Amino acid sequence: MRKIQMVDLTSQYQEIKEQVNSSISQVLDTAAFINGPEVHKFQAQLETYVGAKHVIPCANGTDALQIAMMGLGLKPGDEVITADFTFAATVEVIALLQLTPVLVDVEPDTFNIDPICIEKAITPKTKAIVPVHLFGQCANMDAILELAEKHNLFVIEDNAQAIGADYTFANGQKQKAGTIGHVSATSFFPSKNLGCYGDGGAIFTNDDELAHTIRGMVNHGMYVRYHHDVVGVNSRLDSIQAAVLNAKLPNLDEYNNKRREAAQKYSKAFDGQENIIVPRTVGRCEEICDTCNCHVFHQYTLRILNADRDALVQHLNDKGIPCGVYYPIPLHRQKAYLDERYKEADFPITNQLVKEVISLPMHTELDDEQIAYITETVLGFLNNEA
Ligand SMILES: *Cc1c(COP(=O)(O)O)cnc(C)c1O
């Protein structure tokens, strides 16, 4: 059996080596390292793929979130509601801009921000909601758009984990993750579903004026060369990373299908196990289905009930199976984001999830033998414990 990895970028590279190498050497030959043709090509390809009017490439996903918030003109003291159960980047940029983060609890079955908790947290100071499409599945955007409309709030999608996913609205209409709110941020960190070979990110919006504002902001607030109209940042996707992404974007649907197939096999093997809750897909399909893209499985995350999750992690590691705990500490309990307004009773689900979740290896190169070994090892541990 091949060695199991949490993310196997080496095997994936072998499949696309020629295209990637030739795209990169073209950049080297022309020395168009910044804002070269590969960047423009990637921008146009990605706009077409996701169906967004504007894609603005930038240096990483964290910058993308920050610049999206700057572009909307959010001001110190404005309250921004986001999920307690997410990667810290989401809340970090809110705090950096001196906006006030307001963390709220998530749903137990999807791990995504709970619209009921959002509504309770809205005050006259609330200016934006940041739903995170955690682990590859969109948050409940029907409910979030409705709340945003009712209270006149911006919706900024953190789409770092769900590129390529479809969201199905209650009326049956489908739209790509990251094109639903006013603006969205995505990441091309190597292990993301569409990853480059370094750092990269992008902002999506359908709003022409906002796109213009943001295009200047990523480049020192410059709209006319050496005229600095607003305070901006230096945040660019470099041409070599764009060249990698141009080679990989045509494969994104196939990559996401492979992740979904692996997820299906995992869930089938765990079917009927009373101490495992497998990931749930929502919308049209309650099961992980073959035909729709509602979940792109950035992570395949189980909840382990009535068993020692940390002992399972140790057991898997001992058996040569890497795994992850995303996320082990709720953001409201992280030192940097403590706030006396938070009460433990406000976060029952996140507090529970951090003790139960475990993410299994998930990437495009998992084979049946590896999946069988992983599932048998998990089941063996749980059956022994019971
Ligand atoms: C990866 C990630 C980010 C940050 O992306 P970087 O490119 O690493 O800066 C932000 N939010 C979420 C949910 C992420 O998973």
Side-chain angles (χ1 to χ4, degrees), residues 1 4 262 265-266 269-270 316 321 360 366-380:
M1 187 174 63
I4 298 174
K265 287 172 190 163
Y266 276 142
F270 296 134
L316 293 178
I321 302 171
L360 298 182
L366 282 166
D367 63 37
D368 286 352
E369 191 186 7
Q370 292 175 317
I371 292 174
Y373 177 70
I374 296 164
T375 55
E376 280 157 22
T377 310
V378 171
L379 291 171

Side-chain angles (χ1 to χ4, degrees), residues 59-65 86-90 132-134 158-161 185-189 192 199-201 298 327:
N60 57 67
T62 310
D63 275 9
L65 279 166
T86 173
F87 181 54
T90 323
V132 182
H133 303 322
L134 204 72
D158 180 340
N159 193 32
Q161 301 189 2
T186 199
S187 164
F188 308 119
F189 186 80
K192 299 285 156 88
D199 275 308
H298 175 61
Y327 296 92

Side-chain angles (χ1 to χ4, degrees), residues 229-277:
D229 295 356
V230 294
V231 178
V233 293
N234 170 14
S235 185
R236 293 180 286 236
L237 179 71
D238 73 66
S239 304
I240 289 181
Q241 299 309 333
V244 173
L245 291 165
N246 280 326
K248 289 179 77 170
L249 180 57
N251 302 334
L252 178 58
D253 284 339
E254 188 199 322
Y255 290 160
N256 283 340
N257 286 339
K258 284 185 174 171
R259 287 172 177 272
R260 188 166 39 248
E261 276 165 32
Q264 247 171 342
K265 287 172 190 163
Y266 276 142
S267 288
K268 196 160 167 242
F270 296 134
D271 190 36
Q273 276 293 314
E274 57 189 24
N275 36 14
I276 295 181
I277 299 184

